[in-house]
Amino acid sequence: MEVHVKDIPDLLMANPITTTNLLHLLHLLLPIITLSLPSTPPPLPLLPIPTSTQLTFHLTELSLFLHFGPNTFTDTEWTTGDFPPSLFTPSSFSPTQWVSIAKASGFTRVILTAKHHDGFCLWPSELTEYSVRAATGWRVGGGDVVGDLSEAARREGIGFGVYLSPWDRHEGTYGRTKEYNEYYMGQLTELLTRYGTIKEVWLDGAKGEGEKDMDYYFDSWFALIRQLQPEAMIFSDAGPDTRWIGDEAGIAGSTCWSLFNRSDAKIGGTDPLYSRIGDPFGRDWVPAECDVSIRPGWFWHASEAPKSALTLLDIYYKSVGRNCLLLLNVPPNSSGLISDEDVQVLQEFAELRSVIFSNNLAKHALVSASSVRGGMSDSHFGSQNILEEGIFTYWAPEENLTDWTLYLDLVESKSFNVLQVQEPIHMGQRIIRFHVDINNGQGEWQTLVNGTTVGYKRLLQFRTVESQYLRLVIDNARAHPLVAFVGVYLDIYSQPAEVPGRSDVRQVVTTMTSQAFVRRKYMAMPL
């Protein structure tokens, strides 16, 4: 029976007050009553919080590093700065291929080694003769790798960043502090004023033992970057915008805070453990970036082979899944192309992520919470928000309570082994410790997995279980916790040995991918 507000008087006159009529009446009046009540304002953000540029960085998740230069042609990782520019001859150079592969594989940003430690510049710098301008065997000295790649990225809607090595083994002024800092800032100015919007400027403290002493004017460099490219993230061992995770394996700590004390860090001298974990008492928001190469080396070598897609998936869980951005290095070869074997691995890596994370088993779950800010009828902060992908809507509990629990009913019993949790980080990073329970169907809750920090994204893997009911319990937090998203998934590739419900697995594979190579290469179990 459909009833409208204008029909209420007639309904009451023509019908006795039965239970059914009373329910219809309440159904009509409840929205009116709710709308008449003032909305509860959001809770106060918990400082520190990310800038708008840092928020965009978090949403990026995956960036592609492109190590390309003299080392590509000399089968080395570090050269001394005496590479003859005439040997720089990428005969099939195609930045369009690089960007297209990045985009197709789910990467939204590319970062180029515009100048590595050898000092050779991949743009026609006016401050040195040691650049592509002297590569007369390639485009008669008229080439510009930085310019071509920045334009290709712009056409595809991919962010573009540059790495400019502070250590320069060719430049004669290196070791003379004032002169070299002037030189370095001049090169920064060229890069930041010629090539449109720069999304990230990447620099580090790498320098070989026994090299000349140099004082870098980092504060002046950062001020120049802010002036010329205000939207650019600045990466270094110690920030200011994003920090190194402390290793080159692409793996973050199982506890990883975006909070950090920049005053306790020094570029080239930060404690790797501090970088890896962050600081729950940190005064600055400096999220971590995990860099790793798809190959053993950072530059292309014909003798090396890429990591497998399953290895990259494991790194993804331990980087993006631990509140970090993954910066994956994929070095172009001496022809100027990303090698076919690397392309295949990237395609498989993208397909694995798609198969696993496009099927959220909690998408249609029935959810409830121990409490809701503003009361259970306030939809602004209700538990249903955790089913909406993204971080800008969220569940918030009532204040002055310490029972912080979310309940999920998956409607039917399902097999799963991955949980995704996200915080609305624009409100600060809050969760210190949590755990997940499942119900055995007889009213008993059993702990499935424990976790620490969440941040932008936390992915937890565990033994494959089958259950209809689970609950997320926040055990400790810096303030009242906020949860933006909860997802439940089945990963049949990382843990294929003991998966109950084989018909469910068959359905996932059949419906979620048409790529035969995924099934062929990674389905280790018979169906």
PDB file of all heavy atoms in Angstrom, residues 26-61:
ATOM      1  N   LEU A  26       4.029   6.263  10.852  1.00  0.00           N
ATOM      2  CA  LEU A  26       5.385   6.486  11.336  1.00  0.00           C
ATOM      3  C   LEU A  26       6.379   6.528  10.181  1.00  0.00           C
ATOM      4  O   LEU A  26       7.337   7.308  10.182  1.00  0.00           O
ATOM      5  CB  LEU A  26       5.775   5.381  12.327  1.00  0.00           C
ATOM      6  CG  LEU A  26       5.066   5.428  13.688  1.00  0.00           C
ATOM      7  CD1 LEU A  26       5.423   4.191  14.509  1.00  0.00           C
ATOM      8  CD2 LEU A  26       5.438   6.694  14.444  1.00  0.00           C
ATOM      9  N   HIS A  27       6.140   5.688   9.171  1.00  0.00           N
ATOM     10  CA  HIS A  27       7.015   5.654   7.999  1.00  0.00           C
ATOM     11  C   HIS A  27       7.006   7.001   7.280  1.00  0.00           C
ATOM     12  O   HIS A  27       8.034   7.471   6.782  1.00  0.00           O
ATOM     13  CB  HIS A  27       6.548   4.544   7.053  1.00  0.00           C
ATOM     14  CG  HIS A  27       7.352   4.490   5.774  1.00  0.00           C
ATOM     15  ND1 HIS A  27       8.641   4.012   5.718  1.00  0.00           N
ATOM     16  CD2 HIS A  27       7.020   4.863   4.515  1.00  0.00           C
ATOM     17  CE1 HIS A  27       9.088   4.086   4.472  1.00  0.00           C
ATOM     18  NE2 HIS A  27       8.131   4.596   3.724  1.00  0.00           N
ATOM     19  N   LEU A  28       5.825   7.666   7.265  1.00  0.00           N
ATOM     20  CA  LEU A  28       5.711   8.954   6.614  1.00  0.00           C
ATOM     21  C   LEU A  28       6.279  10.086   7.458  1.00  0.00           C
ATOM     22  O   LEU A  28       6.894  11.022   6.946  1.00  0.00           O
ATOM     23  CB  LEU A  28       4.249   9.250   6.292  1.00  0.00           C
ATOM     24  CG  LEU A  28       3.610   8.403   5.182  1.00  0.00           C
ATOM     25  CD1 LEU A  28       2.107   8.588   5.206  1.00  0.00           C
ATOM     26  CD2 LEU A  28       4.166   8.824   3.834  1.00  0.00           C
ATOM     27  N   LEU A  29       6.093   9.984   8.756  1.00  0.00           N
ATOM     28  CA  LEU A  29       6.481  11.088   9.623  1.00  0.00           C
ATOM     29  C   LEU A  29       7.965  11.080   9.977  1.00  0.00           C
ATOM     30  O   LEU A  29       8.550  12.136  10.241  1.00  0.00           O
ATOM     31  CB  LEU A  29       5.659  11.062  10.914  1.00  0.00           C
ATOM     32  CG  LEU A  29       4.172  11.379  10.751  1.00  0.00           C
ATOM     33  CD1 LEU A  29       3.470  11.256  12.095  1.00  0.00           C
ATOM     34  CD2 LEU A  29       3.979  12.781  10.179  1.00  0.00           C
ATOM     35  N   LEU A  30       8.598   9.889   9.963  1.00  0.00           N
ATOM     36  CA  LEU A  30       9.982   9.792  10.398  1.00  0.00           C
ATOM     37  C   LEU A  30      10.915  10.688   9.586  1.00  0.00           C
ATOM     38  O   LEU A  30      11.751  11.404  10.155  1.00  0.00           O
ATOM     39  CB  LEU A  30      10.472   8.337  10.348  1.00  0.00           C
ATOM     40  CG  LEU A  30      11.887   8.095  10.897  1.00  0.00           C
ATOM     41  CD1 LEU A  30      11.973   8.542  12.362  1.00  0.00           C
ATOM     42  CD2 LEU A  30      12.254   6.610  10.780  1.00  0.00           C
ATOM     43  N   PRO A  31      10.827  10.691   8.234  1.00  0.00           N
ATOM     44  CA  PRO A  31      11.708  11.595   7.481  1.00  0.00           C
ATOM     45  C   PRO A  31      11.488  13.063   7.820  1.00  0.00           C
ATOM     46  O   PRO A  31      12.429  13.854   7.845  1.00  0.00           O
ATOM     47  CB  PRO A  31      11.360  11.311   6.018  1.00  0.00           C
ATOM     48  CG  PRO A  31      10.767   9.941   6.030  1.00  0.00           C
ATOM     49  CD  PRO A  31      10.017   9.852   7.318  1.00  0.00           C
ATOM     50  N   ILE A  32      10.223  13.416   8.081  1.00  0.00           N
ATOM     51  CA  ILE A  32       9.910  14.805   8.426  1.00  0.00           C
ATOM     52  C   ILE A  32      10.531  15.163   9.767  1.00  0.00           C
ATOM     53  O   ILE A  32      11.142  16.211   9.942  1.00  0.00           O
ATOM     54  CB  ILE A  32       8.390  15.018   8.464  1.00  0.00           C
ATOM     55  CG1 ILE A  32       7.786  14.697   7.088  1.00  0.00           C
ATOM     56  CG2 ILE A  32       8.056  16.434   8.895  1.00  0.00           C
ATOM     57  CD1 ILE A  32       6.275  14.700   7.082  1.00  0.00           C
ATOM     58  N   ILE A  33      10.395  14.223  10.726  1.00  0.00           N
ATOM     59  CA  ILE A  33      10.965  14.464  12.048  1.00  0.00           C
ATOM     60  C   ILE A  33      12.479  14.567  11.957  1.00  0.00           C
ATOM     61  O   ILE A  33      13.113  15.454  12.537  1.00  0.00           O
ATOM     62  CB  ILE A  33      10.560  13.332  13.015  1.00  0.00           C
ATOM     63  CG1 ILE A  33       9.038  13.350  13.224  1.00  0.00           C
ATOM     64  CG2 ILE A  33      11.285  13.468  14.344  1.00  0.00           C
ATOM     65  CD1 ILE A  33       8.518  12.145  13.983  1.00  0.00           C
ATOM     66  N   THR A  34      13.083  13.643  11.168  1.00  0.00           N
ATOM     67  CA  THR A  34      14.538  13.625  11.028  1.00  0.00           C
ATOM     68  C   THR A  34      15.042  14.907  10.377  1.00  0.00           C
ATOM     69  O   THR A  34      16.031  15.503  10.807  1.00  0.00           O
ATOM     70  CB  THR A  34      14.987  12.404  10.206  1.00  0.00           C
ATOM     71  OG1 THR A  34      14.516  11.218  10.837  1.00  0.00           O
ATOM     72  CG2 THR A  34      16.500  12.358  10.081  1.00  0.00           C
ATOM     73  N   LEU A  35      14.337  15.348   9.312  1.00  0.00           N
ATOM     74  CA  LEU A  35      14.753  16.563   8.621  1.00  0.00           C
ATOM     75  C   LEU A  35      14.624  17.796   9.497  1.00  0.00           C
ATOM     76  O   LEU A  35      15.337  18.778   9.315  1.00  0.00           O
ATOM     77  CB  LEU A  35      13.932  16.737   7.340  1.00  0.00           C
ATOM     78  CG  LEU A  35      14.252  15.762   6.200  1.00  0.00           C
ATOM     79  CD1 LEU A  35      13.236  15.934   5.069  1.00  0.00           C
ATOM     80  CD2 LEU A  35      15.668  15.991   5.679  1.00  0.00           C
ATOM     81  N   SER A  36      13.717  17.746  10.433  1.00  0.00           N
ATOM     82  CA  SER A  36      13.499  18.915  11.279  1.00  0.00           C
ATOM     83  C   SER A  36      14.564  19.039  12.362  1.00  0.00           C
ATOM     84  O   SER A  36      14.706  20.092  12.978  1.00  0.00           O
ATOM     85  CB  SER A  36      12.106  18.843  11.925  1.00  0.00           C
ATOM     86  OG  SER A  36      12.042  17.752  12.831  1.00  0.00           O
ATOM     87  N   LEU A  37      15.313  17.937  12.610  1.00  0.00           N
ATOM     88  CA  LEU A  37      16.344  17.985  13.632  1.00  0.00           C
ATOM     89  C   LEU A  37      17.638  18.529  13.041  1.00  0.00           C
ATOM     90  O   LEU A  37      17.969  18.248  11.901  1.00  0.00           O
ATOM     91  CB  LEU A  37      16.586  16.580  14.198  1.00  0.00           C
ATOM     92  CG  LEU A  37      15.417  15.931  14.930  1.00  0.00           C
ATOM     93  CD1 LEU A  37      15.782  14.504  15.312  1.00  0.00           C
ATOM     94  CD2 LEU A  37      15.040  16.735  16.175  1.00  0.00           C
ATOM     95  N   PRO A  38      18.391  19.312  13.806  1.00  0.00           N
ATOM     96  CA  PRO A  38      19.670  19.806  13.292  1.00  0.00           C
ATOM     97  C   PRO A  38      20.666  18.660  13.125  1.00  0.00           C
ATOM     98  O   PRO A  38      20.684  17.717  13.911  1.00  0.00           O
ATOM     99  CB  PRO A  38      20.119  20.789  14.381  1.00  0.00           C
ATOM    100  CG  PRO A  38      19.416  20.338  15.627  1.00  0.00           C
ATOM    101  CD  PRO A  38      18.095  19.792  15.168  1.00  0.00           C
ATOM    102  N   SER A  39      21.491  18.744  12.088  1.00  0.00           N
ATOM    103  CA  SER A  39      22.496  17.719  11.846  1.00  0.00           C
ATOM    104  C   SER A  39      23.622  17.840  12.862  1.00  0.00           C
ATOM    105  O   SER A  39      23.984  18.939  13.294  1.00  0.00           O
ATOM    106  CB  SER A  39      23.070  17.856  10.432  1.00  0.00           C
ATOM    107  OG  SER A  39      22.068  17.641   9.468  1.00  0.00           O
ATOM    108  N   THR A  40      24.184  16.717  13.222  1.00  0.00           N
ATOM    109  CA  THR A  40      25.346  16.708  14.101  1.00  0.00           C
ATOM    110  C   THR A  40      26.581  17.071  13.287  1.00  0.00           C
ATOM    111  O   THR A  40      26.806  16.491  12.228  1.00  0.00           O
ATOM    112  CB  THR A  40      25.541  15.319  14.737  1.00  0.00           C
ATOM    113  OG1 THR A  40      24.348  14.949  15.429  1.00  0.00           O
ATOM    114  CG2 THR A  40      26.721  15.318  15.694  1.00  0.00           C
ATOM    115  N   PRO A  41      27.369  18.022  13.731  1.00  0.00           N
ATOM    116  CA  PRO A  41      28.561  18.396  12.952  1.00  0.00           C
ATOM    117  C   PRO A  41      29.605  17.283  13.002  1.00  0.00           C
ATOM    118  O   PRO A  41      29.588  16.425  13.889  1.00  0.00           O
ATOM    119  CB  PRO A  41      29.062  19.653  13.663  1.00  0.00           C
ATOM    120  CG  PRO A  41      28.575  19.501  15.070  1.00  0.00           C
ATOM    121  CD  PRO A  41      27.246  18.812  14.971  1.00  0.00           C
ATOM    122  N   PRO A  42      30.530  17.279  12.052  1.00  0.00           N
ATOM    123  CA  PRO A  42      31.605  16.283  12.076  1.00  0.00           C
ATOM    124  C   PRO A  42      32.481  16.468  13.311  1.00  0.00           C
ATOM    125  O   PRO A  42      32.539  17.561  13.892  1.00  0.00           O
ATOM    126  CB  PRO A  42      32.398  16.578  10.803  1.00  0.00           C
ATOM    127  CG  PRO A  42      31.502  17.422   9.949  1.00  0.00           C
ATOM    128  CD  PRO A  42      30.627  18.173  10.891  1.00  0.00           C
ATOM    129  N   PRO A  43      33.187  15.425  13.714  1.00  0.00           N
ATOM    130  CA  PRO A  43      34.143  15.591  14.808  1.00  0.00           C
ATOM    131  C   PRO A  43      35.300  16.472  14.366  1.00  0.00           C
ATOM    132  O   PRO A  43      35.512  16.692  13.166  1.00  0.00           O
ATOM    133  CB  PRO A  43      34.609  14.155  15.081  1.00  0.00           C
ATOM    134  CG  PRO A  43      34.379  13.429  13.793  1.00  0.00           C
ATOM    135  CD  PRO A  43      33.157  14.049  13.191  1.00  0.00           C
ATOM    136  N   LEU A  44      36.037  16.974  15.322  1.00  0.00           N
ATOM    137  CA  LEU A  44      37.205  17.786  14.994  1.00  0.00           C
ATOM    138  C   LEU A  44      38.290  16.920  14.372  1.00  0.00           C
ATOM    139  O   LEU A  44      38.509  15.784  14.799  1.00  0.00           O
ATOM    140  CB  LEU A  44      37.755  18.457  16.255  1.00  0.00           C
ATOM    141  CG  LEU A  44      36.892  19.558  16.878  1.00  0.00           C
ATOM    142  CD1 LEU A  44      37.489  19.996  18.207  1.00  0.00           C
ATOM    143  CD2 LEU A  44      36.783  20.749  15.929  1.00  0.00           C
ATOM    144  N   PRO A  45      38.982  17.426  13.355  1.00  0.00           N
ATOM    145  CA  PRO A  45      40.127  16.679  12.829  1.00  0.00           C
ATOM    146  C   PRO A  45      41.183  16.495  13.918  1.00  0.00           C
ATOM    147  O   PRO A  45      41.315  17.320  14.820  1.00  0.00           O
ATOM    148  CB  PRO A  45      40.652  17.566  11.700  1.00  0.00           C
ATOM    149  CG  PRO A  45      39.519  18.484  11.360  1.00  0.00           C
ATOM    150  CD  PRO A  45      38.764  18.695  12.635  1.00  0.00           C
ATOM    151  N   LEU A  46      41.935  15.412  13.800  1.00  0.00           N
ATOM    152  CA  LEU A  46      43.003  15.127  14.751  1.00  0.00           C
ATOM    153  C   LEU A  46      44.331  15.416  14.059  1.00  0.00           C
ATOM    154  O   LEU A  46      44.727  14.718  13.124  1.00  0.00           O
ATOM    155  CB  LEU A  46      42.940  13.661  15.198  1.00  0.00           C
ATOM    156  CG  LEU A  46      43.963  13.218  16.242  1.00  0.00           C
ATOM    157  CD1 LEU A  46      43.766  13.983  17.559  1.00  0.00           C
ATOM    158  CD2 LEU A  46      43.867  11.718  16.483  1.00  0.00           C
ATOM    159  N   LEU A  47      44.995  16.468  14.488  1.00  0.00           N
ATOM    160  CA  LEU A  47      46.236  16.891  13.842  1.00  0.00           C
ATOM    161  C   LEU A  47      47.371  15.913  14.116  1.00  0.00           C
ATOM    162  O   LEU A  47      47.385  15.265  15.154  1.00  0.00           O
ATOM    163  CB  LEU A  47      46.609  18.294  14.326  1.00  0.00           C
ATOM    164  CG  LEU A  47      45.584  19.390  14.048  1.00  0.00           C
ATOM    165  CD1 LEU A  47      46.069  20.728  14.623  1.00  0.00           C
ATOM    166  CD2 LEU A  47      45.285  19.513  12.570  1.00  0.00           C
ATOM    167  N   PRO A  48      48.335  15.838  13.160  1.00  0.00           N
ATOM    168  CA  PRO A  48      48.395  16.554  11.879  1.00  0.00           C
ATOM    169  C   PRO A  48      47.497  15.907  10.828  1.00  0.00           C
ATOM    170  O   PRO A  48      47.111  14.736  10.969  1.00  0.00           O
ATOM    171  CB  PRO A  48      49.864  16.420  11.484  1.00  0.00           C
ATOM    172  CG  PRO A  48      50.276  15.103  12.063  1.00  0.00           C
ATOM    173  CD  PRO A  48      49.551  15.004  13.365  1.00  0.00           C
ATOM    174  N   ILE A  49      47.157  16.675   9.803  1.00  0.00           N
ATOM    175  CA  ILE A  49      46.351  16.150   8.709  1.00  0.00           C
ATOM    176  C   ILE A  49      47.049  16.465   7.387  1.00  0.00           C
ATOM    177  O   ILE A  49      47.866  17.376   7.314  1.00  0.00           O
ATOM    178  CB  ILE A  49      44.923  16.740   8.715  1.00  0.00           C
ATOM    179  CG1 ILE A  49      44.952  18.266   8.643  1.00  0.00           C
ATOM    180  CG2 ILE A  49      44.142  16.271   9.932  1.00  0.00           C
ATOM    181  CD1 ILE A  49      43.574  18.912   8.518  1.00  0.00           C
ATOM    182  N   PRO A  50      46.736  15.715   6.324  1.00  0.00           N
ATOM    183  CA  PRO A  50      47.409  15.938   5.043  1.00  0.00           C
ATOM    184  C   PRO A  50      46.945  17.212   4.353  1.00  0.00           C
ATOM    185  O   PRO A  50      45.810  17.658   4.522  1.00  0.00           O
ATOM    186  CB  PRO A  50      47.032  14.701   4.228  1.00  0.00           C
ATOM    187  CG  PRO A  50      45.738  14.239   4.813  1.00  0.00           C
ATOM    188  CD  PRO A  50      45.818  14.554   6.274  1.00  0.00           C
ATOM    189  N   THR A  51      47.836  17.776   3.545  1.00  0.00           N
ATOM    190  CA  THR A  51      47.461  18.876   2.662  1.00  0.00           C
ATOM    191  C   THR A  51      46.662  18.304   1.497  1.00  0.00           C
ATOM    192  O   THR A  51      46.584  17.086   1.299  1.00  0.00           O
ATOM    193  CB  THR A  51      48.707  19.584   2.115  1.00  0.00           C
ATOM    194  OG1 THR A  51      49.432  18.656   1.282  1.00  0.00           O
ATOM    195  CG2 THR A  51      49.611  20.065   3.242  1.00  0.00           C
ATOM    196  N   SER A  52      46.083  19.173   0.682  1.00  0.00           N
ATOM    197  CA  SER A  52      45.337  18.696  -0.484  1.00  0.00           C
ATOM    198  C   SER A  52      46.255  17.954  -1.447  1.00  0.00           C
ATOM    199  O   SER A  52      45.867  16.957  -2.065  1.00  0.00           O
ATOM    200  CB  SER A  52      44.649  19.869  -1.198  1.00  0.00           C
ATOM    201  OG  SER A  52      45.607  20.820  -1.645  1.00  0.00           O
ATOM    202  N   THR A  53      47.503  18.413  -1.577  1.00  0.00           N
ATOM    203  CA  THR A  53      48.468  17.732  -2.446  1.00  0.00           C
ATOM    204  C   THR A  53      48.793  16.346  -1.899  1.00  0.00           C
ATOM    205  O   THR A  53      48.902  15.374  -2.657  1.00  0.00           O
ATOM    206  CB  THR A  53      49.758  18.569  -2.569  1.00  0.00           C
ATOM    207  OG1 THR A  53      49.436  19.839  -3.128  1.00  0.00           O
ATOM    208  CG2 THR A  53      50.771  17.877  -3.456  1.00  0.00           C
ATOM    209  N   GLN A  54      48.930  16.231  -0.598  1.00  0.00           N
ATOM    210  CA  GLN A  54      49.205  14.927   0.006  1.00  0.00           C
ATOM    211  C   GLN A  54      48.001  13.994  -0.108  1.00  0.00           C
ATOM    212  O   GLN A  54      48.170  12.782  -0.302  1.00  0.00           O
ATOM    213  CB  GLN A  54      49.616  15.102   1.465  1.00  0.00           C
ATOM    214  CG  GLN A  54      51.014  15.693   1.628  1.00  0.00           C
ATOM    215  CD  GLN A  54      51.347  16.006   3.072  1.00  0.00           C
ATOM    216  OE1 GLN A  54      50.494  16.484   3.837  1.00  0.00           O
ATOM    217  NE2 GLN A  54      52.579  15.756   3.472  1.00  0.00           N
ATOM    218  N   LEU A  55      46.791  14.531  -0.012  1.00  0.00           N
ATOM    219  CA  LEU A  55      45.601  13.703  -0.214  1.00  0.00           C
ATOM    220  C   LEU A  55      45.596  13.103  -1.614  1.00  0.00           C
ATOM    221  O   LEU A  55      45.319  11.916  -1.798  1.00  0.00           O
ATOM    222  CB  LEU A  55      44.327  14.522   0.012  1.00  0.00           C
ATOM    223  CG  LEU A  55      43.768  14.593   1.424  1.00  0.00           C
ATOM    224  CD1 LEU A  55      42.546  15.505   1.465  1.00  0.00           C
ATOM    225  CD2 LEU A  55      43.395  13.207   1.944  1.00  0.00           C
ATOM    226  N   THR A  56      45.913  13.921  -2.605  1.00  0.00           N
ATOM    227  CA  THR A  56      45.997  13.425  -3.980  1.00  0.00           C
ATOM    228  C   THR A  56      47.063  12.348  -4.095  1.00  0.00           C
ATOM    229  O   THR A  56      46.878  11.341  -4.792  1.00  0.00           O
ATOM    230  CB  THR A  56      46.304  14.578  -4.941  1.00  0.00           C
ATOM    231  OG1 THR A  56      45.279  15.563  -4.835  1.00  0.00           O
ATOM    232  CG2 THR A  56      46.393  14.090  -6.377  1.00  0.00           C
ATOM    233  N   PHE A  57      48.170  12.542  -3.421  1.00  0.00           N
ATOM    234  CA  PHE A  57      49.253  11.558  -3.406  1.00  0.00           C
ATOM    235  C   PHE A  57      48.764  10.217  -2.872  1.00  0.00           C
ATOM    236  O   PHE A  57      49.028   9.163  -3.450  1.00  0.00           O
ATOM    237  CB  PHE A  57      50.395  12.103  -2.552  1.00  0.00           C
ATOM    238  CG  PHE A  57      51.480  11.118  -2.235  1.00  0.00           C
ATOM    239  CD1 PHE A  57      52.526  10.916  -3.115  1.00  0.00           C
ATOM    240  CD2 PHE A  57      51.471  10.407  -1.042  1.00  0.00           C
ATOM    241  CE1 PHE A  57      53.554  10.021  -2.815  1.00  0.00           C
ATOM    242  CE2 PHE A  57      52.483   9.514  -0.736  1.00  0.00           C
ATOM    243  CZ  PHE A  57      53.521   9.325  -1.627  1.00  0.00           C
ATOM    244  N   HIS A  58      48.047  10.229  -1.750  1.00  0.00           N
ATOM    245  CA  HIS A  58      47.519   8.989  -1.184  1.00  0.00           C
ATOM    246  C   HIS A  58      46.605   8.277  -2.179  1.00  0.00           C
ATOM    247  O   HIS A  58      46.665   7.047  -2.332  1.00  0.00           O
ATOM    248  CB  HIS A  58      46.743   9.277   0.095  1.00  0.00           C
ATOM    249  CG  HIS A  58      47.593   9.492   1.306  1.00  0.00           C
ATOM    250  ND1 HIS A  58      48.207   8.461   1.981  1.00  0.00           N
ATOM    251  CD2 HIS A  58      47.926  10.627   1.972  1.00  0.00           C
ATOM    252  CE1 HIS A  58      48.884   8.945   3.014  1.00  0.00           C
ATOM    253  NE2 HIS A  58      48.727  10.258   3.036  1.00  0.00           N
ATOM    254  N   LEU A  59      45.751   9.029  -2.842  1.00  0.00           N
ATOM    255  CA  LEU A  59      44.804   8.437  -3.784  1.00  0.00           C
ATOM    256  C   LEU A  59      45.515   7.848  -5.001  1.00  0.00           C
ATOM    257  O   LEU A  59      44.949   6.997  -5.695  1.00  0.00           O
ATOM    258  CB  LEU A  59      43.780   9.485  -4.221  1.00  0.00           C
ATOM    259  CG  LEU A  59      42.870  10.051  -3.121  1.00  0.00           C
ATOM    260  CD1 LEU A  59      42.065  11.228  -3.647  1.00  0.00           C
ATOM    261  CD2 LEU A  59      41.950   8.987  -2.566  1.00  0.00           C
ATOM    262  N   THR A  60      46.746   8.290  -5.267  1.00  0.00           N
ATOM    263  CA  THR A  60      47.501   7.796  -6.412  1.00  0.00           C
ATOM    264  C   THR A  60      47.814   6.311  -6.288  1.00  0.00           C
ATOM    265  O   THR A  60      47.698   5.549  -7.245  1.00  0.00           O
ATOM    266  CB  THR A  60      48.814   8.599  -6.562  1.00  0.00           C
ATOM    267  OG1 THR A  60      48.485   9.968  -6.798  1.00  0.00           O
ATOM    268  CG2 THR A  60      49.650   8.072  -7.708  1.00  0.00           C
ATOM    269  N   GLU A  61      48.241   5.877  -5.112  1.00  0.00           N
ATOM    270  CA  GLU A  61      48.558   4.480  -4.773  1.00  0.00           C
ATOM    271  C   GLU A  61      49.757   3.913  -5.523  1.00  0.00           C
ATOM    272  O   GLU A  61      50.645   3.325  -4.925  1.00  0.00           O
ATOM    273  CB  GLU A  61      47.355   3.556  -4.982  1.00  0.00           C
ATOM    274  CG  GLU A  61      46.238   3.738  -3.995  1.00  0.00           C
ATOM    275  CD  GLU A  61      45.282   2.560  -3.969  1.00  0.00           C
ATOM    276  OE1 GLU A  61      45.507   1.552  -4.692  1.00  0.00           O
ATOM    277  OE2 GLU A  61      44.294   2.629  -3.214  1.00  0.00           O
TER     278      GLU A  61
END
